């Protein structure tokens, strides 16, 4: 055998060994990888995440915010798999306008170009003029969420919804409560809601429950259920017009402030977050049934946010803002619990009006003579006999009734007036009568 043949055979043997080695590595990898994956524990829960109006499908940034700010604090120590839920999230004909408002004033993580509020659709579709109405979007969204629940029916679930997404969740949660009343075995489903328009006390849909705007196909479907078996967390902000609308809509200043709250606060819902132990948060209002409520105060009135956007110094706004805050707060009754369904009213109670008006000004508060009779005299009677006699004569004159015109005429014409025969009533006048004439003759 020649040397060349020997080298050729060696190369073939080497290539065969190499191929065999690669095949063994691939085989080991294919057998080890499934085993390693099988060793990983399954997640404790599956989180179904819905967005709000203008945002049909949550993106990774949105899900990451919800995960760290709301889901992890309310479900500590749990392994959770996050799944976005696609729903229409439309509101004909203003969806496009709301996108522009969000672009100008809202959270850029949601409303910046390329964010979840700007899906990959033609511009004519993004305008909102060809969208579903609010009622249609709510119905289709509820069906989409129910399909996602059925798809993950064997999992323990936590469902998050923001704004219209919260409205969709409330529709499904109410159906589940009817399907699994108290005392029955219900699936393990938790809910976390932000900017909830169905909040029993404050939600726009609750304030005017039962109303309907035909031209917009907008039903006000009332307060969220509070008597369910499902653990729920409500996260809302002061003056957000969708979740904290005035109780007394005749307070137009409060109404305008709530509208500004929709533009400036609702579009920035992720500005607030829960701490690791949510019950230690100052925003915690309490728990009713299976629902915990969190209400984050707003330092500045949204009413003046347009001025802030224009660069008006905060010191100038601070001069008038406390006065307007008093007027705005007169449109609410903060003593009512968030879980109490509270429809809109006409006027605040008398105590609320008194608190708004405040105490009387110092001029009246410290001068008892204003608006009252003068105090009685405290002078003591004089002991001087002359003064006493003068007072007696004055009292007698004052006590004597002043004769009327009729009395004077009667006295002049009455025959019984005096005893003189000419009946002229001169008997008692000095220097007249028989006695006076006799004395004159003498």
């Amino acid at each position: 055998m020649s040397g060349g043949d020997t080298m050729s055979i060696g190369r073939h043997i080497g290539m065969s060994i190499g191929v065999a080695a690669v095949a063994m590595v691939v085989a080991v990898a294919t057998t080890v990888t499934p085993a390693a994956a099988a060793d990983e524990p399954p997640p404790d829960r599956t989180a179904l995440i819905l967005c709000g109006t203008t945002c049909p499908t949550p993106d990774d940034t949105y899900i990451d915010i919800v995960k760290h700010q709301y889901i992890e604090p309310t479900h500590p120590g749990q392994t959770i798999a996050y799944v976005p839920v696609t729903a229409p999230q439309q509101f004909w004909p203003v969806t496009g306008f709301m996108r522009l408002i969000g672009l100008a004033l809202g959270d850029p993580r949601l409303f910046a170009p390329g964010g979840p509020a700007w899906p990959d659709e033609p511009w004519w579709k993004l305008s909102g003029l060809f969208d579903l109405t609010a009622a249609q979007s709510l119905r289709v969204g509820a069906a989409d969420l129910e399909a996602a629940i059925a798809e993950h029916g064997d999992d323990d679930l936590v469902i998050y919804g923001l704004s219209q997404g919260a409205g969709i969740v409330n529709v499904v949660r109410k159906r589940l409560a009817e399907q699994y009343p108290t005392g029955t075995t219900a699936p393990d489903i938790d809910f976390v809601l932000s900017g909830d328009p169905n909040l029993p006390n404050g939600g726009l849909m609750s304030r005017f429950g039962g109303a309907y705007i035909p031209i917009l196909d907008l039903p006000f479907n009332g307060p969220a259920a509070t008597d369910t078996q499902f653990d729920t967390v409500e996260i809302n902000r002061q003056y957000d017009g969708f979740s904290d609308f005035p109780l007394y809509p005749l307070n137009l200043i409060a109404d305008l402030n709530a509208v500004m709250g929709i533009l400036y606060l609702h579009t920035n819902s992720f500005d607030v977050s829960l701490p690791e132990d949510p019950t230690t948060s100052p925003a915690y209002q309490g728990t009713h049934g299976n629902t915990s409520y969190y209400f984050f105060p707003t330092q500045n009135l949204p009413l003046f946010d347009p001025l802030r956007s224009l660069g008006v110094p905060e010191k100038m706004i601070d001069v008038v803002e406390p006065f307007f805050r008093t007027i705005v707060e007169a449109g609410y009754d903060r003593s009512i619990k968030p879980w109490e369904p509270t429809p809109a009213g006409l006027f605040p109670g008398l105590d609320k009006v008194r608190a708004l008006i405040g105490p009387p000004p110092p001029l009246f508060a410290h001068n008892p003579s204003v608006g009252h009779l003068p105090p009685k005299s405290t002078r003591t009677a004089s002991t001087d006999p002359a003064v006493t006699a003068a007072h007696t004569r004055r009292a007698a004159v004052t006590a004597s009734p002043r004769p009327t015109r009729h009395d004077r005429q009667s006295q002049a014409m009455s025959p019984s007036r005096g005893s003189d025969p000419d009946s002229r009533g001169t008997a008692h006048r000095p220097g007249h009568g028989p006695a006076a004439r006799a004395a004159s003759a003498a």
Side-chain angles (χ1 to χ4, degrees):
M1 179 180 296
S2 66
D5 293 336
T6 303
M7 293 179 62
S8 177
I9 293 172
R11 285 196 298 270
H12 284 295
I13 293 174
M15 292 178 62
S16 300
I17 294 174
V19 170
V22 172
M24 290 179 63
V25 171
V26 172
V28 170
T30 56
T31 56
V32 171
T33 301
D39 291 340
E40 294 181 1
D44 298 317
R45 288 183 181 272
T46 298
L48 305 179
I49 310 299
L50 290 103
C51 205
T53 304
T54 73
C55 172
T57 304
D59 64 358
D60 292 340
T61 300
Y62 182 99
I63 291 176
D64 192 60
I65 296 171
V66 172
K67 172 183 176 180
H68 290 101
Q69 296 187 192
Y70 307 124
I71 302 297
E72 286 185 346
T74 55
H75 296 78
Q78 298 187 24
T79 304
I80 300 177
Y82 291 82
V83 178
V85 177
T86 298
Q89 305 290 11
Q90 298 173 0
F91 190 160
W92 176 90
V94 297
T95 316
F97 175 74
M98 296 174 72
R99 284 193 173 98
L100 295 176
I101 291 295
L103 179 63
L105 307 174
D107 191 331
R109 295 172 294 180
L110 276 67
F111 293 101
W118 297 89
D120 187 13
E121 294 177 346
W123 282 101
W124 61 266
K125 185 69 173 68
L126 294 175
S127 69
L129 299 177
F130 303 90
D131 281 355
L132 300 177
T133 64
Q136 293 170 342
S137 181
L138 203 64
R139 286 194 296 268
V140 176
D144 292 335
L145 178 57
E146 288 176 333
I149 293 174
E151 184 179 348
H152 299 274
D154 296 332
D155 301 344
D156 294 340
L157 301 175
V158 54
I159 301 175
Y160 174 85
L162 165 68
S163 188
Q164 186 178 154
I168 291 173
V169 169
N170 282 320
V171 171
V172 173
R173 187 165 68 107
K174 186 175 182 180
R175 293 175 183 174
L176 289 171
E178 294 171 351
Q179 184 178 355
Y180 302 99
T182 302
T184 62
T185 303
D188 189 353
I189 303 177
D190 297 344
F191 299 93
V192 180
L193 308 177
S194 297
D196 185 4
N198 298 104
L199 186 69
N201 177 28
L204 185 63
M205 299 296 117
S206 305
R207 287 287 193 234
F208 304 97
Y212 177 69
I213 302 178
I215 191 172
L216 297 177
D217 189 24
L218 176 61
F220 292 76
N221 56 350
T226 58
D227 55 350
T228 74
Q229 298 191 70
F230 306 101
D231 291 339
T232 304
V233 175
E234 287 271 10
I235 305 166
N236 298 286
R237 302 181 67 182
Q238 185 183 23
Y239 304 139
D240 177 348
F242 280 141
S243 59
D244 188 36
F245 196 82
L247 175 60
Y248 306 108
L250 292 181
N251 186 331
L252 300 183
I253 300 297
D255 295 343
L256 181 58
N257 184 70
V259 172
M260 292 295 105
I262 293 174
L263 303 182
Y264 286 90
L265 299 179
H266 194 77
T267 56
N268 291 278
S269 294
F270 292 155
D271 282 354
V272 298
S273 60
L274 297 177
E276 291 185 1
D277 182 0
T279 58
T280 63
S281 170
Y284 178 62
Q285 293 180 292
T287 298
H288 176 75
N290 291 80
T291 304
S292 299
Y293 295 86
Y294 297 86
F295 185 72
F296 287 86
T298 298
Q299 180 179 0
N300 297 319
L301 289 179
L303 185 67
F304 294 100
D305 281 348
L307 298 181
R308 295 184 175 95
S309 299
L310 295 174
V312 176
E314 194 67 32
K315 291 183 178 180
M316 295 182 62
I317 298 176
D318 288 343
V319 174
V320 297
E321 189 173 39
F323 170 76
F324 281 94
R325 183 181 288 272
T326 301
I327 296 177
V328 167
E329 280 299 307
Y332 297 87
D333 187 344
R334 300 299 185 187
S335 67
I336 302 176
K337 301 298 183 182
W339 52 79
E340 298 181 16
T342 310
L346 292 179
F347 302 102
L350 183 60
D351 293 340
K352 192 78 173 179
V353 174
R354 286 174 176 170
L356 177 63
I357 296 175
L363 175 65
F364 293 91
H366 297 88
N367 188 357
S369 65
V370 177
H372 300 280
L373 293 175
K376 294 182 179 180
S377 174
T378 57
R379 292 179 298 177
T380 58
S382 174
T383 59
D384 187 342
V387 174
T388 303
H391 287 176
T392 302
R393 288 193 300 271
R394 188 181 301 113
V397 172
T398 304
S400 300
R402 182 182 296 274
T404 64
R405 179 181 180 185
H406 176 74
D407 294 336
R408 288 193 296 269
Q409 292 176 348
S410 298
Q411 293 171 359
M413 298 177 63
S414 174
S416 63
R417 177 73 174 179
S419 57
D420 54 321
D422 57 5
S423 300
R424 290 181 296 178
T426 60
H428 298 282
R429 293 165 60 186
H432 294 80
R437 288 195 295 271
S440 178

